[in-house]
Amino acid sequence: MTDKLDAASLRQRLAALPQWHIEAGDAAIRREYLFADFPQAFGFMAQVALHAERLDHHPEWFNVHRRVDVRLTTHDAGGVTERDIALARHADDVHARLVRDPSA
Ligand code: H2B
């Protein structure tokens, strides 16, 4: 099992993910994504969901219209691990690709 990142390591990792923030108490990281419309938001969720299933590491998220709020934590470790950092990077990549090319 991946170990929970300590406070210093977590802050260091987040420096490379500037759109993400650490939840009060350090239990999770969060980011809000905004898309052009609902189909694009849902397409993002579909792409991230398939990757999450492959990794066996799943997001907590909430969608309203073109907004998706994502919360990442590793339940097995009781905090944020490298698995969350990897999934955050992937979600950012999917988002960047969709913004660049809405048909991607
Ligand atoms: N997702 C997240 N975010 N944290 C976990 O600890 C976790 C998971 N554990 N997805 C996985 C599934 C575990 O339940 C299975 C049994 O591997």
Side-chain angles (χ1 to χ4, degrees), residues 7-68:
S9 309
L10 178 55
R11 274 150 190 81
Q12 190 199 338
R13 294 297 185 290
L14 263 273
L17 293 165
Q19 313 259 38
W20 289 79
H21 68 270
I22 302 168
E23 187 181 278
D26 283 8
I29 56 173
R30 291 179 180 256
R31 177 176 172 179
E32 176 187 295
Y33 293 96
L34 207 59
F35 296 90
D37 50 25
F38 176 71
Q40 194 180 77
F42 201 80
F44 165 82
M45 294 175 82
Q47 289 190 42
V48 173
L50 293 175
H51 187 77
E53 186 60 13
R54 276 193 297 272
L55 296 178
D56 192 31
H57 193 68
H58 302 88
E60 298 174 17
W61 50 16
F62 180 76
N63 162 240
V64 182
H65 190 207
R66 63 193 187 98
R67 195 182 93 221
V68 181

